[in-house]
Amino acid sequence: IDELLGQLSKPAAQPGAGQAHAPKVVAPPSSPLGPYDPTTPPFAVDAAPRVDGSHLGGAHSKSVLTAPDGSQWLFKPAEGKPYQASAEYAVQAFNSAVGLPAVPVYLVRVGGQYGSLQRLLEVESQGWEVGKAKQLSRGQLEQVQQHQVVDWLFSQHDTNLGAPLFLRDGRVAMI
């Protein structure tokens, strides 16, 4: 995994430079779920307006930052457990590298606190409910299974019912 994450920060080789074809693009460039550089946040996080994010639920503190383009980002301080932020970052960087929809996650310091920063997305729906699996297409079910394999690879055993994001374009991402 460390080797893969190291490769993510290198520019992709162009076709013809030892590559048979161009790297797979999983979303249009304007999509927040396309391939991304996980080493560089897209804005200066310390300069961004920040509000309390407790209204989003969950057991840990969080803040919502607004980027200059108006997009909103969730900052979750590591609160003495930096491995949690690093694991979240690693999973989403891995998802992006293997072509699964990945919510961009960065490791940052905001107001002197270390933690993870992830983009808040507008989604069709979030989470599981009774009967939801029967409503999913074969492709969506396959994406859920692919994400479950990644969870297993990273020993992510606390995925909860709110983890799936059902995107407006039909894809499934996990948070």
Side-chain angles (χ1 to χ4, degrees), residues 26-49:
V26 297
S30 62
S31 169
L33 295 180
Y36 72 102
D37 176 1
T39 62
T40 308
F43 63 98
V45 294
D46 267 334

Side-chain angles (χ1 to χ4, degrees), residues 34-118:
Y36 72 102
D37 176 1
T39 62
T40 308
F43 63 98
V45 294
D46 267 334
R50 181 170 65 163
V51 297
D52 180 65
S54 60
H55 65 281
L56 297 171
H60 302 286
S61 64
K62 56 191 67 69
S63 301
V64 176
L65 284 69
T66 302
D69 67 0
S71 61
Q72 295 201 316
W73 295 74
L74 178 65
F75 173 69
K76 298 191 290 188
E79 298 177 340
K81 298 179 182 178
Y83 60 87
Q84 287 178 333
S86 297
E88 191 168 352
Y89 163 84
V91 168
Q92 294 300 350
F94 181 84
N95 282 342
S96 178
V98 299
L100 286 173
V103 177
V105 174
Y106 303 88
L107 297 178
V108 297
R109 287 196 183 277
V110 175
Q113 292 183 299
Y114 173 79
S116 65
L117 180 74
Q118 69 184 40

